[in-house]
Amino acid sequence: MSSDNDLESTDTEARFEFKKEEKSAYEAEVGLTEETVRKISDDKDEPDWMLQRRLRALEQYKEMPMPTDWPGQPDLSEVNVDEIIPYIRPDIETRGGEDDWDDLPDEIQDTFDKLGIPEAEQQALSGVGAQYESEIVYQNMQEQWEEKGVVFMDMDKAVQEHPELVREHFMTKAVPPSDNKFAALHGAVWSGGSFVYIPEGVTVQMPIQAYFRMNSEGMGQFEHTLIIAEENSEVHYIEGCSAPQYARHNLHSGGVEVFVKEGAHVQYSTVQNWSKNTYNLNTKRAIAEADGRMEWISGSMGSKATMLYPSTILKGPGASDNHITIAFAGEGQDIDTGAKVYHNAPNTKSTIESKSIAKDGGRTNYRGLVHIANGAKGSQTNVECDALMFDNESTSDTMPYMEIQDNEVDVAHEATVGKIGDEDIFYLQSRGLDDDDAKQMIVAGFIEPITEELPIEYAVELNRLIELEMEGSLG
Amino acid sequence: MSTQVHATVTEADVEQISAELGEPDWLTETRLEAFEALEALPMPSVIRTPGRDWTNLDALDYEELVDPLEWAEEKDRVEAEGVEVLSWAEALEDHGDLIEDHFGSVVDPQRDYLTALSTALFGAGTVVYVPEGVDAEDVKIRTTMNSRSLFNYTLVVAEKSSSVTILERQHTGEPVEGDQYYSGVVEVTAGENATVQYGALQNLAEDTYNFSIKRGHADTYGTINWIEGNLGSRLTKTSVETRLLGDGSESKIVGAFFGHDDQHFDLASRVWHEGEHTTADLVTRGVLDDTARSVYEGVQDVGEDAWDTNSYQRENTLMLSDDSEADASPKLIINNHDTEASHSATVGQVDQDDLFYMTSRGVDEESATNMLVEGFFVPVLEEVEVDELREDLDALVLERLGI
């Protein structure tokens, strides 16, 4: 990809850390009250059922305690939802996103230019959505897909234009607000995100991408992504996220729901590069029907603390799941991530591959659950976790959980932890590489078994981010 | 639940047990403090996943189970040359200072509710004292439980450059009507360059609730090897633990279990690497039949100062029945990068290819399955260096298979 060269030449500060003046058309007050939730709903001109769902989620949010009893979980004591600005509508004219970058205000256009989104759109994507603060500001898809009935639109717009589909699928079956405190928070104040509908038998050949950007200090971003892939359809959705660094904490609490119908195939890839003052607490879940195939690819580089366990419920016989997780924790970062898979039908399969790297006092943890229900005969799961540690200040944990209720199954879990080998570094140095280059090469080799399975654009972006992380130039 | 215990157990009971053993004041105090702490102490930790507790300890009905003054057992203690294997009364008389130094130094008497209860109420038990430089094999402690509840406490002190092998067996003698409760605490101190091999084979009656904590501290170049066999009881909650405190210390924890009917085994193997150049190897294999359920937690914790650590863990479960359940959580907690650590876990059924091969050679399916199950335990049995324990374990496995 030619933009790789651009990435090489673009300096990091310019690429992710730049800040734009905070300009907005509407900004909710700090904190979370019923009044705020009503105002958000009102500002979006939502139907009453959605307002009722928000209010109910708010009630559930208030009733639920903060998660504090998970073994070794990241410290969330500084997460103060009452100090977060839950909703900021940027100052643009068209709701639901412009379809021409030139129609966007200069500073927003410049933001996404720097992030390389318009260029990627031209070269390798079927469609792009771009969210700035709480709203989608740009939304476009190639005409050929529109003609085939593919829908890719701003989630808020979908509430208005596809009420039946949204009402049936939105935070009902996959991620109900009762799932956890942050899912409930999300249900109350969600804004923006993508709605993707792929009709039966349609294969969207190039990926569609959404990019989420937080610009303001102390804000919370709560975008919701709903993907419905009808029978025998296929789509690859990529999301990217970033924010500049501020003194005050930002909160990102996205919700992702994916419905993989019979024989459909959905690939969901995330490059998460939030600034290191961001708490990243997401709930992502897919339900796969018979012979459906779900793939989660997650690269977690940014954030102060991440708690993210994309999950798949293998509901129909023959459904399969594939998780690829890469976590990189540097100074001050606590990346607690993994996977959850429920095998609820016969002959379902899952594979989980996790690679984590801890450096400069960072902590990574693989936390995962595989559940095989009684009756899920012939199911197979294979979990592999490898961790690499750079130094003695860092921490690397592995906490898998397996619940096996059927005997006709094949369950295997493996994990290794090791340090960067002095001998390997010595060897590379003796061949003329300096210490940093040697380490970089070893890390690239460590994650290669995973990167070689990734789509090329994703692998390039990920490698670049890891290089930046290795140089210590991010955050 | 603590109020329930107070309904059947009083401070006077604790004092009476202590007086009968002729205990010094410090031990009576330790018991009473543990007793007082009961109310505030939590149950031993159990693993929780969304919507599920892997073991429900709150379902234990202590009102029914605990009968502190009416305890009965038969103890068969086989001594080895140079080693003292003593009852508590004897040990307190002969080695009062030694016991005061070590009692409760490895297992915190107030670690959790059930440990505190055990500390407050133990009457049975054994002290094994291995003086410096003594090499001893085959200390045997057989406990036959003959009462509704039995609280057993074992203290092992192996001094510098000594070595000892201890075999402990628990089973039930006279049948007692209703449910029973066995609670055992084992504390092991392995001094510099000392080696302790502790094998336990639990085969209690299947209406017995069994709680046990076994924990050891290994000093420089010390070795503590545990073998833990679980076949009996209705519910077992047990943890086998080693803290590798000294440089160059080692531990191996070998476990084998075979559950059937509605048995529930909640088993943990835990090791903390705290000194430098330490090594741990955790190996557990288990078989489940009928509606039995196993819960396994393995923890390899590498501390910040544990340079040059090697730590390995393997857990394999074989499920013979569709209605059994195997839960497992092998955990790695690594705070020093100079570590080589790995773990693996598998769950599955008898290999179908193997079964097909054997039946095609004329072995009937049941015999073939039995042979494969027996074979499944071989890698664990091979880790057991003590012949008697290996043979006993194998015999119990065969008995369970109905051979």
Side-chain angles (χ1 to χ4, degrees):
Chain A
M1 195 168 107
S2 70
S3 62
D4 185 34
N5 299 328
D6 295 339
L7 294 189
E8 297 276 358
S9 60
T10 314
D11 104 317
T12 325
E13 184 69 22
R15 224 174 146 233
F16 298 110
E17 298 298 315
F18 58 88
K19 297 165 187 176
K20 295 289 178 183
E21 194 187 333
E22 295 177 19
K23 271 166 80 177
S24 62
Y26 177 83
E27 186 171 323
E29 280 176 30
V30 167
L32 187 61
T33 61
E34 186 181 325
E35 190 58 27
T36 311
V37 172
R38 283 183 185 278
K39 274 190 182 154
I40 293 171
S41 185
D42 187 52
D43 192 57
K44 293 174 179 298
D45 203 14
E46 281 178 351
D48 186 59
W49 61 265
M50 183 52 87
L51 172 65
Q52 295 311 319
R53 279 191 194 181
R54 286 180 183 275
L55 292 174
R56 186 152 174 270
L58 179 67
E59 284 310 307
Q60 287 169 317
Y61 168 76
K62 285 180 185 161
E63 281 164 21
M64 274 188 250
M66 280 287 272
T68 54
D69 60 346
W70 293 27
Q73 74 164 64
D75 179 10
L76 300 181
S77 60
E78 283 181 43
V79 177
N80 190 345
V81 173
D82 291 329
E83 285 177 6
I84 295 278
I85 306 158
Y87 178 59
I88 300 174
R89 171 154 61 84
D91 191 9
I92 48 164
E93 276 168 26
T94 316
R95 300 298 284 266
E98 303 285 358
D99 58 5
D100 187 337
W101 293 103
D102 291 334
D103 291 341
L104 290 173
D106 289 346
E107 77 275 8
I108 296 182
Q109 197 188 338
D110 184 49
T111 297
F112 289 106
D113 274 342
K114 279 187 174 146
L115 295 168
I117 310 299
E119 192 191 345
E121 180 181 19
Q122 281 175 16
Q123 288 174 1
L125 298 168
S126 292
V128 165
Q131 177 156 343
Y132 194 79
E133 317 295 28
S134 300
E135 296 274 332
I136 290 283
V137 292
Y138 175 84
Q139 187 83 39
N140 197 16
M141 185 173 57
Q142 290 174 6
E143 242 166 59
Q144 52 161 326
W145 304 117
E146 232 162 281
E147 283 162 11
K148 287 186 173 148
V150 175
V151 180
F152 176 41
M153 64 167 57
D154 168 21
M155 193 65 225
D156 288 298
K157 199 170 165 190
V159 172
Q160 311 288 349
E161 295 191 6
H162 297 279
E164 304 82 22
L165 279 171
V166 174
R167 210 170 167 169
E168 185 188 339
H169 294 95
F170 186 93
M171 295 194 87
T172 50
K173 300 166 185 166
V175 182
S178 60
D179 189 78
N180 65 71
K181 191 171 181 75
F182 290 94
L185 174 66
H186 175 89
V189 297
W190 77 271
S191 179
S194 311
F195 174 75
V196 179
Y197 180 83
I198 316 293
E200 193 176 332
V202 174
T203 296
V204 181
Q205 271 138 5
M206 285 195 293
I208 52 178
Q209 181 173 23
Y211 201 96
F212 300 97
R213 176 77 179 174
M214 270 193 272
N215 182 62
S216 296
E217 180 168 15
M219 83 164 289
Q221 196 175 64
F222 305 96
E223 87 288 347
H224 193 92
T225 301
L226 176 57
I227 298 175
I228 302 170
E230 293 289 1
E231 289 178 23
N232 301 312
S233 67
E234 198 172 328
V235 66
H236 180 192
Y237 181 90
I238 301 178
E239 68 174 4
C241 358
S242 67
Q245 179 93 24
Y246 287 107
R248 260 168 80 197
H249 295 308
N250 285 8
L251 172 63
H252 175 253
S253 188
V256 174
E257 300 181 286
V258 182
F259 293 86
V260 185
K261 300 289 170 68
E262 269 185 55
H265 178 188
V266 177
Q267 190 174 342
Y268 194 106
S269 305
T270 306
V271 190
Q272 183 269 102
N273 189 33
W274 293 118
S275 57
K276 283 160 193 170
N277 63 325
T278 302
Y279 284 92
N280 184 44
L281 311 165
N282 299 318
T283 310
K284 299 184 173 181
R285 192 160 305 152
I287 299 177
E289 306 286 349
D291 300 318
R293 177 165 170 73
M294 182 66 208
E295 290 184 84
W296 294 103
I297 298 171
S298 311
S300 297
M301 313 292 143
S303 82
K304 177 178 174 63
T306 284
M307 289 177 82
L308 168 65
Y309 321 96
S311 54
T312 301
I313 299 168
L314 299 169
K315 194 180 165 200
S320 64
D321 167 81
N322 185 20
H323 271 82
I324 292 178
T325 300
I326 298 171
F328 196 131
E331 189 182 349
Q333 290 186 280
D334 192 341
I335 309 287
D336 198 304
T337 187
K340 244 189 336 182
V341 181
Y342 286 85
H343 291 256
N344 289 349
N347 302 314
T348 49
K349 259 189 193 179
S350 63
T351 57
I352 298 169
E353 293 170 77
S354 160
K355 297 264 180 190
S356 52
I357 300 158
K359 183 171 173 275
D360 299 332
R363 174 184 180 265
T364 57
N365 182 22
Y366 169 82
R367 196 189 296 271
L369 171 67
V370 176
H371 180 99
I372 299 187
N374 195 359
K377 300 209 169 302
S379 290
Q380 296 176 14
T381 179
N382 189 38
V383 183
E384 278 180 46
C385 308
D386 297 309
L388 192 60
M389 292 174 79
F390 268 78
D391 49 61
N392 200 37
E393 283 68 51
S394 306
T395 302
S396 173
D397 297 345
T398 309
M399 300 185 182
Y401 297 86
M402 284 166 274
E403 301 179 333
I404 314 302
Q405 298 177 321
D406 200 284
N407 68 326
E408 290 177 34
V409 296
D410 191 353
V411 176
H413 172 99
E414 269 177 64
T416 63
V417 180
K419 65 171 170 176
I420 276 209
D422 293 337
E423 285 165 27
D424 296 340
I425 290 175
F426 177 75
Y427 173 80
L428 290 167
Q429 282 178 328
S430 75
R431 301 281 144 163
L433 274 77
D434 66 29
D435 189 57
D436 287 346
D437 287 346
K439 285 182 174 168
Q440 209 157 309
M441 191 171 278
I442 290 167
V443 167
F446 174 69
I447 62 166
E448 192 187 71
I450 281 189
T451 46
E452 69 188 11
E453 293 180 42
L454 300 176
I456 183 72
E457 316 80 43
Y458 188 96
V460 167
E461 171 84 3
L462 196 72
N463 274 331
R464 181 66 191 143
L465 281 175
I466 285 172
E467 279 168 28
L468 292 170
E469 195 72 47
M470 295 285 296
E471 288 160 12
S473 52
L474 278 183
Chain B
M1 75 215 95
S2 28
T3 49
Q4 281 184 352
V5 167
H6 288 89
T8 47
V9 186
T10 64
E11 211 172 275
D13 294 336
V14 177
E15 281 166 351
Q16 191 180 332
I17 293 168
S18 182
E20 279 169 11
L21 293 174
E23 286 178 357
D25 289 347
W26 69 263
L27 187 49
T28 316
E29 280 306 310
T30 306
R31 286 177 184 270
L32 288 171
E33 281 164 18
F35 183 73
E36 271 169 42
L38 282 178
E39 208 151 347
L41 287 171
M43 276 290 177
S45 63
V46 295
I47 292 178
R48 296 173 66 194
T49 58
R52 307 185 87 221
D53 280 356
W54 282 10
T55 298
N56 182 2
L57 290 175
D58 296 330
L60 286 176
D61 186 353
Y62 291 94
E63 190 82 21
E64 280 293 312
L65 297 174
V66 176
D67 200 353
L69 297 178
E70 296 298 319
W71 56 272
E73 58 152 1
E74 277 168 42
K75 216 51 153 218
D76 183 11
R77 299 189 181 94
V78 179
E79 291 198 19
E81 206 183 323
V83 184
E84 298 192 50
V85 185
L86 308 166
S87 70
W88 278 97
E90 292 165 336
L92 285 163
E93 201 172 305
D94 297 352
H95 302 286
D97 293 344
L98 182 89
I99 293 174
E100 186 168 2
D101 281 350
H102 290 97
F103 187 93
S105 66
V106 178
V107 176
D108 177 1
Q110 299 180 20
R111 169 190 167 105
D112 52 49
Y113 177 85
L114 294 179
T115 308
L117 189 67
S118 216
T119 307
L121 299 180
F122 81 89
T126 304
V127 176
V128 179
Y129 171 52
V130 195
E132 185 174 335
V134 169
D135 282 322
E137 279 185 12
D138 296 348
V139 170
K140 289 167 198 163
I141 307 165
R142 298 190 192 92
T143 305
T144 309
M145 179 173 175
N146 286 326
S147 52
R148 168 144 301 159
S149 60
L150 188 66
F151 295 88
N152 196 66
Y153 205 111
T154 307
L155 177 66
V156 179
V157 180
E159 288 184 342
K160 192 175 171 182
S161 299
S162 68
S163 79
V164 66
T165 299
I166 301 165
L167 297 187
E168 193 195 6
R169 285 197 62 160
Q170 298 116 13
H171 61 272
T172 307
E174 303 290 320
V176 175
E177 198 140 314
D179 294 336
Q180 298 167 61
Y181 181 60
Y182 178 90
S183 176
V185 175
V186 178
E187 284 190 279
V188 172
T189 304
E192 189 182 329
N193 198 35
T195 299
V196 176
Q197 168 138 276
Y198 194 102
L201 193 47
Q202 179 273 115
N203 191 33
L204 295 161
E206 288 177 28
D207 46 12
T208 308
Y209 292 88
N210 169 40
F211 167 73
S212 99
I213 163 80
K214 299 185 176 77
R215 187 173 161 103
H217 284 183
D219 202 340
T220 308
Y221 299 121
T223 299
I224 300 179
N225 292 338
W226 302 97
I227 298 151
E228 169 89 355
N230 279 291
L231 284 103
S233 83
R234 177 192 174 81
L235 181 148
T236 282
K237 168 75 181 170
T238 177
S239 186
V240 181
E241 308 175 348
T242 305
R243 280 178 71 189
L244 296 168
L245 294 170
D247 293 350
S249 55
E250 294 177 22
S251 185
K252 189 184 268 187
I253 303 177
V254 176
F257 63 89
F258 193 156
H260 72 159
D261 294 338
D262 63 347
Q263 285 186 306
H264 182 119
F265 294 143
D266 183 324
L267 316 163
S269 297
R270 300 182 171 109
V271 60
W272 288 266
H273 295 266
E274 296 177 57
E276 299 181 13
H277 320 294
T278 61
T279 302
D281 195 4
L282 280 51
V283 184
T284 294
R285 286 199 163 213
V287 174
L288 295 170
D289 203 354
D290 305 321
T291 57
R293 181 172 175 190
S294 70
V295 168
Y296 170 84
E297 182 181 39
V299 177
Q300 298 155 274
D301 186 307
V302 179
E304 219 178 303
D305 302 320
W307 296 91
D308 186 24
T309 294
N310 287 286
S311 193
Y312 310 99
Q313 179 180 188
R314 284 162 287 161
E315 201 254 349
N316 309 92
T317 313
L318 193 60
M319 290 169 85
L320 299 179
S321 154
D322 198 19
D323 299 316
S324 50
E325 172 168 352
D327 299 337
S329 180
K331 296 189 174 84
L332 289 164
I333 315 287
I334 315 292
N335 289 297
N336 188 303
H337 75 301
D338 191 12
T339 294
E340 190 180 300
S342 67
H343 70 218
S344 68
T346 64
V347 182
Q349 57 181 342
V350 170
D351 190 281
Q352 296 302 301
D353 290 343
D354 292 346
L355 198 61
F356 177 76
Y357 173 81
M358 290 170 80
T359 48
S360 75
R361 302 280 147 162
V363 183
D364 68 83
E365 194 175 323
E366 196 186 326
S367 307
T369 304
N370 287 345
M371 283 160 80
L372 289 169
V373 170
E374 197 193 348
F376 175 77
F377 279 110
V378 167
V380 166
L381 291 170
E382 279 175 352
E383 300 279 351
V384 182
E385 285 162 28
V386 189
D387 293 343
E388 186 181 331
L389 184 64
R390 186 172 56 242
E391 284 156 16
D392 283 358
L393 192 56
D394 195 30
L396 285 173
V397 167
L398 293 177
E399 190 185 312
R400 174 101 356 138
L401 287 168
I403 298 172

